[in-house]
Amino acid sequence: MSENVVQRLRDEIENSIISNDFAPGARLDEVQLATRFGVSRTPVREALMQLNAIGLVEIRPRRGAVVIDPGPHRIFEMFEVMAELEGLAGSLAARRFTDADRTTILAAHADCERSSSAGDSDLYYYDNERFHKAIYAASHSGFLAEQCVALHRRLQPYRRLQLRVRNRVATSFAEHGAIVEAILAGDAERARTLLRQHVSIQGERFSDLVATLASR
Amino acid sequence: MSENVVQRLRDEIENSIISNDFAPGARLDEVQLATRFGVSRTPVREALMQLNAIGLVEIRPRRGAVVIDPGPHRIFEMFEVMAELEGLAGSLAARRFTDADRTTILAAHADCERSSSAGDSDLYYYDNERFHKAIYAASHSGFLAEQCVALHRRLQPYRRLQLRVRNRVATSFAEHGAIVEAILAGDAERARTLLRQHVSIQGERFSDLVATLASR
DNA sequence: GTCCAGCATCTTGCATACAAGAATTGACCT
DNA sequence: AGGTCAATTCTTGTATGCAAGATGCTGGAC
Protein backbone atom coordinates (compact mmCIF):
# COMPACT_ATOMS: atom_id res chain seq x y z
CA MET A 1 0.00 0.00 0.00
CA SER A 2 2.15 2.83 1.21
CA GLU A 3 5.09 2.76 -1.16
CA ASN A 4 7.16 4.81 1.20
CA VAL A 5 6.59 7.40 3.86
CA VAL A 6 7.76 10.39 1.84
CA GLN A 7 5.37 9.77 -1.05
CA ARG A 8 2.49 9.29 1.34
CA LEU A 9 3.31 12.51 3.14
CA ARG A 10 3.72 14.37 -0.12
CA ASP A 11 0.27 13.28 -1.28
CA GLU A 12 -1.36 13.98 2.09
CA ILE A 13 0.06 17.48 2.35
CA GLU A 14 -0.62 18.18 -1.32
CA ASN A 15 -4.22 17.15 -0.89
CA SER A 16 -4.55 19.23 2.23
CA ILE A 17 -3.32 22.25 0.30
CA ILE A 18 -5.53 21.58 -2.72
CA SER A 19 -8.61 21.06 -0.57
CA ASN A 20 -7.76 24.29 1.23
CA ASP A 21 -7.19 22.60 4.62
CA PHE A 22 -3.86 24.40 4.56
CA ALA A 23 -4.80 27.84 3.31
CA PRO A 24 -2.42 29.90 1.18
CA GLY A 25 0.10 31.67 3.36
CA ALA A 26 -0.18 29.10 6.14
CA ARG A 27 3.03 28.10 7.80
CA LEU A 28 3.94 24.41 7.59
CA ASP A 29 5.76 23.52 10.77
CA GLU A 30 8.01 20.50 10.41
CA VAL A 31 7.63 19.06 13.91
CA GLN A 32 3.91 19.69 13.87
CA LEU A 33 3.49 17.75 10.63
CA ALA A 34 5.87 15.07 11.88
CA THR A 35 3.91 14.41 15.07
CA ARG A 36 0.62 14.68 13.21
CA PHE A 37 1.63 11.90 10.81
CA GLY A 38 3.59 9.94 13.39
CA VAL A 39 6.93 10.14 11.60
CA SER A 40 10.19 11.98 12.11
CA ARG A 41 11.16 15.30 10.61
CA THR A 42 13.34 13.83 7.88
CA PRO A 43 10.61 12.49 5.59
CA VAL A 44 8.51 15.59 6.29
CA ARG A 45 11.34 17.79 5.09
CA GLU A 46 11.78 15.68 1.97
CA ALA A 47 8.07 15.87 1.19
CA LEU A 48 8.09 19.64 1.66
CA MET A 49 11.03 19.99 -0.69
CA GLN A 50 9.15 18.03 -3.34
CA LEU A 51 6.15 20.30 -2.94
CA ASN A 52 8.55 23.21 -3.21
CA ALA A 53 9.85 21.83 -6.51
CA ILE A 54 6.29 21.45 -7.79
CA GLY A 55 5.57 25.03 -6.83
CA LEU A 56 2.91 24.49 -4.18
CA VAL A 57 5.09 25.52 -1.28
CA GLU A 58 7.79 28.10 -0.77
CA ILE A 59 10.75 27.29 1.44
CA ARG A 60 12.46 30.37 2.78
CA PRO A 61 15.96 29.52 4.03
CA ARG A 62 16.09 29.09 7.79
CA ARG A 63 12.56 30.42 8.01
CA GLY A 64 10.37 27.48 7.20
CA ALA A 65 7.83 26.53 4.57
CA VAL A 66 4.62 28.32 3.69
CA VAL A 67 1.81 27.49 1.29
CA ILE A 68 2.17 29.59 -1.83
CA ASP A 69 -0.67 31.95 -2.62
CA PRO A 70 -0.87 32.42 -6.37
CA GLY A 71 -2.81 35.63 -6.80
CA PRO A 72 -5.58 35.92 -9.41
CA HIS A 73 -3.12 37.16 -11.99
CA ARG A 74 -0.87 34.16 -11.67
CA ILE A 75 -3.83 31.80 -11.73
CA PHE A 76 -4.84 33.45 -14.97
CA GLU A 77 -1.34 32.87 -16.34
CA MET A 78 -1.52 29.21 -15.39
CA PHE A 79 -4.82 28.78 -17.19
CA GLU A 80 -3.29 30.54 -20.19
CA VAL A 81 -0.51 27.96 -20.36
CA MET A 82 -2.94 25.12 -19.64
CA ALA A 83 -5.13 26.26 -22.56
CA GLU A 84 -2.16 26.14 -24.87
CA LEU A 85 -1.10 22.66 -23.75
CA GLU A 86 -4.63 21.31 -23.99
CA GLY A 87 -4.90 22.83 -27.46
CA LEU A 88 -1.75 20.99 -28.48
CA ALA A 89 -3.08 17.77 -26.97
CA GLY A 90 -6.31 18.19 -28.89
CA SER A 91 -4.60 18.82 -32.20
CA LEU A 92 -2.31 15.82 -31.74
CA ALA A 93 -5.25 13.67 -30.65
CA ALA A 94 -7.17 14.62 -33.80
CA ARG A 95 -4.27 13.33 -35.88
CA ARG A 96 -3.27 10.29 -33.88
CA PHE A 97 -6.30 8.83 -32.06
CA THR A 98 -6.82 5.08 -32.27
CA ASP A 99 -10.01 3.04 -32.04
CA ALA A 100 -9.37 2.51 -28.36
CA ASP A 101 -8.91 6.27 -27.85
CA ARG A 102 -12.20 6.93 -29.63
CA THR A 103 -13.99 4.50 -27.35
CA THR A 104 -12.48 6.04 -24.20
CA ILE A 105 -13.27 9.60 -25.27
CA LEU A 106 -16.85 8.77 -26.18
CA ALA A 107 -17.38 6.89 -22.93
CA ALA A 108 -16.05 9.82 -20.89
CA HIS A 109 -18.20 12.19 -22.91
CA ALA A 110 -21.29 10.06 -22.23
CA ASP A 111 -20.52 10.16 -18.49
CA CYS A 112 -20.24 13.95 -18.68
CA GLU A 113 -23.67 14.08 -20.27
CA ARG A 114 -25.07 12.03 -17.41
CA SER A 115 -23.65 14.21 -14.63
CA SER A 116 -24.30 17.39 -16.57
CA SER A 117 -28.00 16.71 -17.10
CA ALA A 118 -28.19 15.61 -13.46
CA GLY A 119 -26.87 19.06 -12.58
CA ASP A 120 -24.29 17.56 -10.20
CA SER A 121 -21.28 19.86 -10.50
CA ASP A 122 -19.09 17.79 -8.19
CA LEU A 123 -19.73 14.61 -10.12
CA TYR A 124 -19.26 16.54 -13.36
CA TYR A 125 -15.87 17.64 -12.09
CA TYR A 126 -14.66 14.03 -11.99
CA ASP A 127 -16.18 13.08 -15.33
CA ASN A 128 -14.75 16.22 -16.85
CA GLU A 129 -11.33 15.27 -15.55
CA ARG A 130 -11.59 11.83 -17.13
CA PHE A 131 -12.69 13.41 -20.41
CA HIS A 132 -9.67 15.66 -20.55
CA LYS A 133 -7.31 12.86 -19.55
CA ALA A 134 -8.72 10.77 -22.36
CA ILE A 135 -7.67 13.51 -24.77
CA TYR A 136 -4.19 13.70 -23.24
CA ALA A 137 -3.85 9.97 -23.73
CA ALA A 138 -5.09 10.19 -27.33
CA SER A 139 -2.35 12.73 -28.07
CA HIS A 140 0.11 9.83 -27.69
CA SER A 141 2.68 12.15 -26.23
CA GLY A 142 3.71 10.84 -22.84
CA PHE A 143 5.56 14.01 -21.89
CA LEU A 144 2.69 16.27 -22.88
CA ALA A 145 0.26 14.09 -20.96
CA GLU A 146 2.42 14.33 -17.83
CA GLN A 147 2.66 18.10 -18.08
CA CYS A 148 -1.08 18.39 -18.60
CA VAL A 149 -1.92 16.16 -15.67
CA ALA A 150 0.44 18.07 -13.38
CA LEU A 151 -0.96 21.46 -14.33
CA HIS A 152 -4.51 20.15 -14.24
CA ARG A 153 -3.89 19.01 -10.68
CA ARG A 154 -2.54 22.37 -9.62
CA LEU A 155 -5.53 24.13 -11.11
CA GLN A 156 -7.98 21.66 -9.63
CA PRO A 157 -9.37 23.92 -6.87
CA TYR A 158 -10.01 26.80 -9.27
CA ARG A 159 -11.67 24.58 -11.86
CA ARG A 160 -14.05 23.40 -9.19
CA LEU A 161 -14.89 26.96 -8.25
CA GLN A 162 -15.56 27.77 -11.88
CA LEU A 163 -17.99 24.92 -12.29
CA ARG A 164 -20.12 26.32 -9.49
CA VAL A 165 -20.84 29.43 -11.55
CA ARG A 166 -24.38 29.25 -12.90
CA ASN A 167 -24.75 27.44 -16.21
CA ARG A 168 -21.05 26.75 -16.46
CA VAL A 169 -21.54 22.97 -16.37
CA ALA A 170 -24.06 23.06 -19.22
CA THR A 171 -21.85 25.38 -21.28
CA SER A 172 -18.83 23.22 -20.59
CA PHE A 173 -20.61 20.10 -21.75
CA ALA A 174 -21.80 21.79 -24.94
CA GLU A 175 -18.20 22.78 -25.70
CA HIS A 176 -17.13 19.19 -25.11
CA GLY A 177 -19.53 18.08 -27.84
CA ALA A 178 -17.92 20.33 -30.42
CA ILE A 179 -14.44 19.23 -29.28
CA VAL A 180 -15.28 15.54 -29.63
CA GLU A 181 -16.68 16.21 -33.08
CA ALA A 182 -13.55 18.05 -34.22
CA ILE A 183 -11.16 15.42 -32.85
CA LEU A 184 -13.02 12.44 -34.30
CA ALA A 185 -13.30 14.28 -37.63
CA GLY A 186 -9.53 14.58 -37.57
CA ASP A 187 -9.71 18.37 -37.74
CA ALA A 188 -6.57 19.22 -35.78
CA GLU A 189 -6.74 22.99 -36.01
CA ARG A 190 -10.38 23.16 -35.01
CA ALA A 191 -9.77 20.84 -32.07
CA ARG A 192 -6.88 23.04 -30.98
CA THR A 193 -8.90 26.25 -31.18
CA LEU A 194 -11.94 24.83 -29.43
CA LEU A 195 -9.92 23.35 -26.58
CA ARG A 196 -7.95 26.53 -26.14
CA GLN A 197 -11.16 28.52 -25.83
CA HIS A 198 -12.70 25.86 -23.60
CA VAL A 199 -9.88 26.01 -21.07
CA SER A 200 -8.80 29.64 -21.06
CA ILE A 201 -10.63 31.99 -18.74
CA GLN A 202 -11.23 35.13 -20.74
CA GLY A 203 -13.35 38.16 -20.00
CA GLU A 204 -16.17 37.67 -17.56
CA ARG A 205 -15.05 34.16 -16.59
CA PHE A 206 -11.95 35.76 -15.10
CA SER A 207 -14.02 38.29 -13.16
CA ASP A 208 -16.20 35.45 -11.90
CA LEU A 209 -13.12 33.60 -10.71
CA VAL A 210 -11.71 36.64 -8.90
CA ALA A 211 -15.05 37.28 -7.25
CA THR A 212 -15.38 33.67 -6.12
CA LEU A 213 -11.80 33.65 -4.81
CA ALA A 214 -12.38 36.77 -2.78
CA SER A 215 -15.52 35.39 -1.18
CA ARG A 216 -14.00 32.39 0.52
CA MET B 1 27.15 32.50 -2.87
CA SER B 2 26.06 29.10 -1.71
CA GLU B 3 22.65 29.71 -0.22
CA ASN B 4 22.61 26.34 1.37
CA VAL B 5 24.21 22.98 0.81
CA VAL B 6 21.21 21.31 -0.79
CA GLN B 7 20.82 23.95 -3.49
CA ARG B 8 24.51 23.80 -4.26
CA LEU B 9 24.43 20.02 -4.51
CA ARG B 10 21.32 20.13 -6.67
CA ASP B 11 22.98 22.49 -9.10
CA GLU B 12 26.26 20.59 -9.13
CA ILE B 13 24.63 17.26 -9.80
CA GLU B 14 22.24 18.79 -12.30
CA ASN B 15 25.12 20.35 -14.19
CA SER B 16 27.04 17.09 -14.09
CA ILE B 17 24.07 15.35 -15.66
CA ILE B 18 23.49 18.05 -18.26
CA SER B 19 27.14 18.14 -19.23
CA ASN B 20 27.06 14.36 -19.51
CA ASP B 21 29.57 13.80 -16.70
CA PHE B 22 26.92 11.51 -15.27
CA ALA B 23 25.71 9.62 -18.31
CA PRO B 24 22.10 8.48 -18.63
CA GLY B 25 21.59 5.24 -16.75
CA ALA B 26 24.46 5.95 -14.36
CA ARG B 27 23.87 5.05 -10.75
CA LEU B 28 24.11 7.90 -8.26
CA ASP B 29 25.46 6.48 -5.03
CA GLU B 30 24.56 8.53 -1.98
CA VAL B 31 27.70 7.96 0.09
CA GLN B 32 29.89 8.41 -2.97
CA LEU B 33 28.34 11.80 -3.71
CA ALA B 34 28.42 12.69 -0.02
CA THR B 35 32.15 12.07 0.37
CA ARG B 36 32.84 13.68 -3.01
CA PHE B 37 31.23 16.92 -1.92
CA GLY B 38 32.33 16.64 1.70
CA VAL B 39 28.85 16.55 3.20
CA SER B 40 26.63 13.96 4.81
CA ARG B 41 24.05 11.81 3.09
CA THR B 42 21.06 13.87 4.18
CA PRO B 43 21.52 16.87 1.88
CA VAL B 44 22.56 14.53 -0.93
CA ARG B 45 19.30 12.64 -0.56
CA GLU B 46 17.31 15.86 -0.57
CA ALA B 47 19.10 17.09 -3.69
CA LEU B 48 18.44 13.77 -5.43
CA MET B 49 14.76 13.95 -4.57
CA GLN B 50 14.55 17.42 -6.07
CA LEU B 51 16.18 16.16 -9.26
CA ASN B 52 13.67 13.33 -9.17
CA ALA B 53 10.83 15.84 -8.99
CA ILE B 54 12.28 17.77 -11.94
CA GLY B 55 12.49 14.54 -13.92
CA LEU B 56 16.24 14.29 -14.36
CA VAL B 57 16.67 11.34 -12.02
CA GLU B 58 14.65 8.28 -11.20
CA ILE B 59 14.56 6.99 -7.64
CA ARG B 60 13.66 3.33 -7.43
CA PRO B 61 12.55 2.42 -3.91
CA ARG B 62 15.32 0.80 -1.89
CA ARG B 63 17.37 0.54 -5.05
CA GLY B 64 18.91 3.94 -5.42
CA ALA B 65 18.89 6.75 -7.93
CA VAL B 66 19.83 6.59 -11.59
CA VAL B 67 20.10 9.26 -14.26
CA ILE B 68 17.05 9.12 -16.51
CA ASP B 69 17.66 8.39 -20.15
CA PRO B 70 14.95 10.05 -22.22
CA GLY B 71 15.04 8.21 -25.51
CA PRO B 72 14.91 10.08 -28.82
CA HIS B 73 11.14 9.80 -28.89
CA ARG B 74 10.68 11.49 -25.56
CA ILE B 75 13.18 14.19 -26.45
CA PHE B 76 11.08 14.84 -29.53
CA GLU B 77 7.99 15.11 -27.35
CA MET B 78 9.72 17.60 -25.08
CA PHE B 79 10.69 19.76 -28.06
CA GLU B 80 7.11 19.55 -29.26
CA VAL B 81 5.84 21.01 -25.98
CA MET B 82 8.67 23.55 -25.88
CA ALA B 83 7.71 24.73 -29.38
CA GLU B 84 4.16 25.30 -28.26
CA LEU B 85 5.18 27.22 -25.16
CA GLU B 86 7.65 29.37 -27.06
CA GLY B 87 4.98 30.04 -29.64
CA LEU B 88 2.67 31.26 -26.92
CA ALA B 89 5.46 33.40 -25.44
CA GLY B 90 6.07 34.91 -28.88
CA SER B 91 2.44 35.72 -29.47
CA LEU B 92 2.06 37.31 -26.05
CA ALA B 93 5.31 39.22 -26.51
CA ALA B 94 4.05 40.63 -29.81
CA ARG B 95 1.03 42.01 -28.03
CA ARG B 96 2.62 43.14 -24.78
CA PHE B 97 6.26 44.14 -25.32
CA THR B 98 7.41 47.42 -23.81
CA ASP B 99 10.19 49.75 -24.91
CA ALA B 100 12.53 48.05 -22.47
CA ASP B 101 11.63 44.64 -23.91
CA ARG B 102 12.32 45.89 -27.43
CA THR B 103 15.76 47.12 -26.38
CA THR B 104 16.62 43.81 -24.67
CA ILE B 105 15.44 41.71 -27.59
CA LEU B 106 17.34 43.79 -30.13
CA ALA B 107 20.48 43.70 -28.01
CA ALA B 108 20.31 39.92 -27.68
CA HIS B 109 19.65 39.64 -31.40
CA ALA B 110 22.69 41.77 -32.15
CA ASP B 111 24.84 39.51 -29.95
CA CYS B 112 23.52 36.50 -31.85
CA GLU B 113 24.60 38.13 -35.09
CA ARG B 114 28.10 38.61 -33.69
CA SER B 115 28.57 35.01 -32.56
CA SER B 116 26.78 33.64 -35.60
CA SER B 117 28.99 35.42 -38.13
CA ALA B 118 32.00 34.43 -36.03
CA GLY B 119 30.88 30.82 -36.50
CA ASP B 120 31.27 30.12 -32.78
CA SER B 121 28.49 27.64 -32.00
CA ASP B 122 29.26 27.52 -28.25
CA LEU B 123 29.13 31.28 -27.93
CA TYR B 124 26.02 31.33 -30.09
CA TYR B 125 24.43 28.89 -27.68
CA TYR B 126 24.64 31.44 -24.86
CA ASP B 127 23.51 34.38 -26.97
CA ASN B 128 20.66 32.28 -28.31
CA GLU B 129 19.60 31.48 -24.75
CA ARG B 130 19.56 35.16 -23.85
CA PHE B 131 17.53 35.91 -26.98
CA HIS B 132 14.87 33.38 -26.07
CA LYS B 133 14.77 34.49 -22.46
CA ALA B 134 14.24 38.06 -23.64
CA ILE B 135 11.13 36.85 -25.46
CA TYR B 136 9.88 34.98 -22.38
CA ALA B 137 10.28 38.18 -20.37
CA ALA B 138 8.47 40.22 -23.02
CA SER B 139 5.50 37.86 -22.76
CA HIS B 140 4.93 39.36 -19.30
CA SER B 141 3.69 36.04 -18.02
CA GLY B 142 5.78 35.01 -15.04
CA PHE B 143 4.43 31.49 -14.97
CA LEU B 144 5.00 30.93 -18.67
CA ALA B 145 8.53 32.30 -18.36
CA GLU B 146 9.29 29.89 -15.52
CA GLN B 147 7.97 26.92 -17.46
CA CYS B 148 9.96 27.92 -20.52
CA VAL B 149 13.18 28.39 -18.58
CA ALA B 150 12.78 25.02 -16.88
CA LEU B 151 12.13 23.15 -20.11
CA HIS B 152 14.86 25.08 -21.90
CA ARG B 153 17.28 23.95 -19.23
CA ARG B 154 16.28 20.33 -19.55
CA LEU B 155 16.70 20.47 -23.30
CA GLN B 156 20.00 22.31 -23.08
CA PRO B 157 22.29 19.40 -24.00
CA TYR B 158 20.24 18.51 -27.06
CA ARG B 159 20.04 22.11 -28.26
CA ARG B 160 23.81 22.25 -28.12
CA LEU B 161 24.11 19.09 -30.17
CA GLN B 162 21.73 20.53 -32.73
CA LEU B 163 23.75 23.69 -33.14
CA ARG B 164 26.77 21.62 -34.11
CA VAL B 165 24.98 20.39 -37.21
CA ARG B 166 26.36 22.15 -40.27
CA ASN B 167 24.71 25.49 -41.08
CA ARG B 168 22.30 25.22 -38.19
CA VAL B 169 23.68 28.34 -36.52
CA ALA B 170 23.25 30.43 -39.65
CA THR B 171 19.75 29.08 -40.26
CA SER B 172 18.83 29.69 -36.63
CA PHE B 173 19.99 33.27 -36.78
CA ALA B 174 18.04 33.91 -39.99
CA GLU B 175 14.92 32.58 -38.29
CA HIS B 176 15.56 34.90 -35.35
CA GLY B 177 15.48 37.84 -37.72
CA ALA B 178 11.99 36.99 -38.95
CA ILE B 179 10.82 36.37 -35.38
CA VAL B 180 12.09 39.75 -34.17
CA GLU B 181 10.36 41.41 -37.11
CA ALA B 182 7.03 39.71 -36.37
CA ILE B 183 7.13 40.51 -32.66
CA LEU B 184 8.09 44.16 -33.06
CA ALA B 185 5.42 44.51 -35.76
CA GLY B 186 2.93 43.26 -33.19
CA ASP B 187 1.94 40.35 -35.42
CA ALA B 188 1.06 37.80 -32.73
CA GLU B 189 0.03 34.93 -34.97
CA ARG B 190 3.07 35.19 -37.20
CA ALA B 191 5.36 35.37 -34.17
CA ARG B 192 3.69 32.25 -32.79
CA THR B 193 4.03 30.29 -36.03
CA LEU B 194 7.62 31.30 -36.63
CA LEU B 195 8.72 30.47 -33.09
CA ARG B 196 6.93 27.15 -33.19
CA GLN B 197 8.72 26.22 -36.39
CA HIS B 198 12.00 27.57 -35.05
CA VAL B 199 11.94 25.37 -31.97
CA SER B 200 10.31 22.16 -33.11
CA ILE B 201 12.52 19.52 -34.58
CA GLN B 202 10.67 18.22 -37.60
CA GLY B 203 11.81 15.92 -40.38
CA GLU B 204 15.51 15.74 -41.01
CA ARG B 205 16.38 17.76 -37.93
CA PHE B 206 15.01 14.88 -35.88
CA SER B 207 17.08 12.34 -37.82
CA ASP B 208 20.13 14.53 -37.30
CA LEU B 209 19.45 14.58 -33.58
CA VAL B 210 19.03 10.82 -33.35
CA ALA B 211 22.22 10.27 -35.33
CA THR B 212 24.18 12.68 -33.14
CA LEU B 213 22.80 11.09 -29.98
CA ALA B 214 23.82 7.62 -31.12
CA SER B 215 27.37 8.70 -31.91
CA ARG B 216 28.38 9.81 -28.48
C1' DG C 1 29.49 -27.66 -14.87
C1' DT C 2 25.37 -25.27 -13.73
C1' DC C 3 21.66 -23.80 -10.88
C1' DC C 4 19.52 -22.78 -6.58
C1' DA C 5 19.55 -21.62 -1.72
C1' DG C 6 21.20 -19.41 2.25
C1' DC C 7 24.12 -16.13 4.32
C1' DA C 8 26.88 -12.01 4.44
C1' DT C 9 27.37 -7.36 3.02
C1' DC C 10 26.06 -3.19 1.25
C1' DT C 11 22.65 0.43 0.54
C1' DT C 12 18.69 2.81 1.34
C1' DG C 13 15.07 4.73 4.52
C1' DC C 14 13.86 6.77 8.66
C1' DA C 15 14.92 8.43 13.37
C1' DT C 16 17.51 10.94 16.51
C1' DA C 17 21.04 14.11 17.91
C1' DC C 18 23.59 18.27 17.57
C1' DA C 19 24.74 22.88 15.81
C1' DA C 20 23.66 27.35 13.92
C1' DG C 21 20.61 31.01 12.60
C1' DA C 22 15.91 33.61 13.50
C1' DA C 23 12.39 35.29 16.30
C1' DT C 24 10.74 36.78 20.53
C1' DT C 25 10.87 38.55 24.94
C1' DG C 26 12.70 40.96 28.72
C1' DA C 27 15.60 44.27 30.69
C1' DC C 28 17.95 48.47 30.63
C1' DC C 29 18.73 52.98 28.98
C1' DT C 30 17.10 57.27 27.29
C1' DA D 1 6.93 55.11 28.70
C1' DG D 2 8.94 53.70 24.61
C1' DG D 3 12.69 51.94 22.08
C1' DT D 4 16.76 49.20 21.48
C1' DC D 5 19.94 45.61 22.43
C1' DA D 6 20.93 41.22 24.18
C1' DA D 7 19.88 36.71 25.66
C1' DT D 8 17.00 32.82 25.46
C1' DT D 9 14.22 29.86 23.04
C1' DC D 10 12.49 27.86 19.05
C1' DT D 11 13.18 26.21 14.42
C1' DT D 12 15.75 24.83 10.71
C1' DG D 13 19.84 22.54 8.62
C1' DT D 14 23.18 18.86 8.70
C1' DA D 15 25.33 14.69 10.68
C1' DT D 16 25.19 10.18 12.44
C1' DG D 17 23.16 5.90 13.85
C1' DC D 18 20.20 1.94 13.36
C1' DA D 19 17.07 -1.21 11.06
C1' DA D 20 15.18 -3.43 6.98
C1' DG D 21 15.40 -4.71 2.31
C1' DA D 22 18.23 -5.78 -1.84
C1' DT D 23 22.33 -7.56 -4.01
C1' DG D 24 25.90 -10.65 -4.52
C1' DC D 25 28.79 -14.45 -3.12
C1' DT D 26 29.72 -19.01 -1.72
C1' DG D 27 28.69 -23.64 -1.15
C1' DG D 28 26.20 -27.63 -2.09
C1' DA D 29 23.34 -30.58 -4.88
C1' DC D 30 21.84 -32.39 -9.23
Side-chain angles (χ1 to χ4, degrees):
Chain A
M1 179 116 119
S2 67
E3 293 193 6
N4 60 17
V5 179
V6 174
Q7 288 303 316
R8 186 172 62 85
L9 284 175
R10 196 187 72 86
D11 290 344
E12 294 260 15
I13 300 174
E14 187 174 354
N15 286 330
S16 296
I17 292 174
I18 285 174
S19 64
N20 217 29
D21 279 352
F22 293 135
R27 192 136 173 294
L28 298 172
D29 188 80
E30 292 179 2
V31 293
Q32 212 168 307
L33 290 168
T35 54
R36 170 168 171 170
F37 291 110
V39 295
S40 90
R41 274 178 51 224
T42 310
V44 172
R45 285 180 56 78
E46 291 177 349
L48 287 178
M49 302 195 78
Q50 288 201 31
L51 294 173
N52 176 60
I54 295 173
L56 273 172
V57 156
E58 182 190 356
I59 296 183
R60 298 163 307 176
R62 291 264 170 208
R63 299 187 55 202
V66 295
V67 179
I68 281 189
D69 177 18
H73 188 248
R74 173 156 272 249
I75 293 172
F76 174 77
E77 290 176 354
M78 297 202 292
F79 272 104
E80 205 167 42
V81 170
M82 180 96 240
E84 203 67 19
L85 293 181
E86 295 241 8
L88 175 60
S91 85
L92 293 179
R95 284 166 24 198
R96 302 178 181 167
F97 74 91
T98 65
D99 284 350
D101 293 326
R102 189 216 318 269
T103 308
T104 313
I105 290 174
L106 286 176
H109 187 51
D111 285 347
C112 283
E113 178 167 30
R114 184 171 45 79
S115 50
S116 165
S117 54
D120 186 337
S121 82
D122 279 336
L123 187 58
Y124 183 80
Y125 174 82
Y126 287 111
D127 292 330
N128 176 62
E129 184 176 9
R130 276 187 44 226
F131 176 75
H132 282 272
K133 284 190 178 168
I135 294 176
Y136 306 157
S139 78
H140 290 273
S141 172
F143 181 74
L144 176 60
E146 283 172 20
Q147 296 292 108
C148 285
V149 168
L151 234 187
H152 194 108
R153 188 168 171 76
R154 273 186 73 179
L155 292 175
Q156 179 176 329
Y158 313 112
R159 280 187 191 254
R160 294 190 92 121
L161 287 180
Q162 278 199 289
L163 288 177
R164 298 233 172 80
V165 172
R166 191 188 338 278
N167 284 335
R168 179 64 200 144
V169 167
T171 313
S172 168
F173 176 69
E175 290 168 4
H176 281 197
I179 290 166
V180 170
E181 210 175 307
I183 290 178
L184 297 188
D187 189 339
E189 278 319 301
R190 204 157 78 87
R192 180 199 295 271
T193 307
L194 289 175
L195 260 165
R196 199 147 65 191
Q197 288 168 357
H198 175 62
V199 173
S200 77
I201 45 175
Q202 304 284 357
E204 55 186 23
R205 282 176 62 192
F206 182 60
S207 341
D208 288 344
L209 175 66
V210 174
T212 324
L213 275 177
S215 73
R216 54 169 203 186
Chain B
M1 177 81 175
S2 68
E3 295 191 4
N4 60 16
V5 178
V6 175
Q7 289 304 317
R8 188 171 61 86
L9 283 175
R10 197 187 71 86
D11 290 343
E12 293 259 15
I13 300 173
E14 186 174 354
N15 286 329
S16 297
I17 292 174
I18 285 174
S19 64
N20 217 29
D21 278 352
F22 293 134
R27 191 135 173 292
L28 297 172
D29 188 79
E30 291 179 2
V31 293
Q32 213 167 305
L33 290 168
T35 54
R36 170 168 169 169
F37 291 111
V39 296
S40 91
R41 277 177 47 223
T42 310
V44 172
R45 284 179 58 78
E46 291 179 348
L48 287 177
M49 302 196 78
Q50 287 202 30
L51 293 173
N52 176 61
I54 296 174
L56 273 172
V57 156
E58 184 189 356
I59 295 183
R60 299 164 306 176
R62 292 259 170 210
R63 299 186 55 204
V66 294
V67 179
I68 282 189
D69 178 16
H73 187 248
R74 175 155 269 250
I75 293 172
F76 174 77
E77 290 177 354
M78 297 202 292
F79 272 103
E80 205 167 42
V81 171
M82 180 94 243
E84 203 68 18
L85 294 181
E86 296 241 8
L88 175 59
S91 86
L92 293 179
R95 283 166 23 199
R96 301 177 182 169
F97 74 91
T98 64
D99 284 350
D101 293 325
R102 190 218 316 272
T103 306
T104 314
I105 290 175
L106 285 176
H109 187 51
D111 286 347
C112 284
E113 178 168 30
R114 184 170 47 78
S115 49
S116 164
S117 54
D120 187 336
S121 81
D122 279 335
L123 187 58
Y124 183 80
Y125 174 82
Y126 287 110
D127 292 330
N128 176 63
E129 186 176 7
R130 277 187 44 227
F131 176 75
H132 283 271
K133 285 190 177 168
I135 294 176
Y136 306 158
S139 78
H140 289 273
S141 172
F143 182 73
L144 176 60
E146 282 172 22
Q147 296 291 109
C148 284
V149 168
L151 236 188
H152 195 107
R153 188 168 169 77
R154 272 186 75 178
L155 292 173
Q156 180 177 328
Y158 313 112
R159 279 185 192 254
R160 294 191 91 121
L161 287 180
Q162 279 198 290
L163 287 177
R164 299 232 172 79
V165 171
R166 191 187 337 275
N167 284 335
R168 179 63 199 142
V169 168
T171 313
S172 169
F173 176 69
E175 290 168 4
H176 281 197
I179 290 166
V180 170
E181 212 175 307
I183 291 178
L184 296 188
D187 189 338
E189 278 319 301
R190 204 158 77 86
R192 179 199 295 272
T193 307
L194 288 175
L195 259 165
R196 199 147 65 191
Q197 288 169 358
H198 175 60
V199 172
S200 78
I201 46 176
Q202 305 283 357
E204 54 186 24
R205 281 175 62 191
F206 182 60
S207 342
D208 288 342
L209 175 66
V210 174
T212 324
L213 276 175
S215 71
R216 54 169 205 187

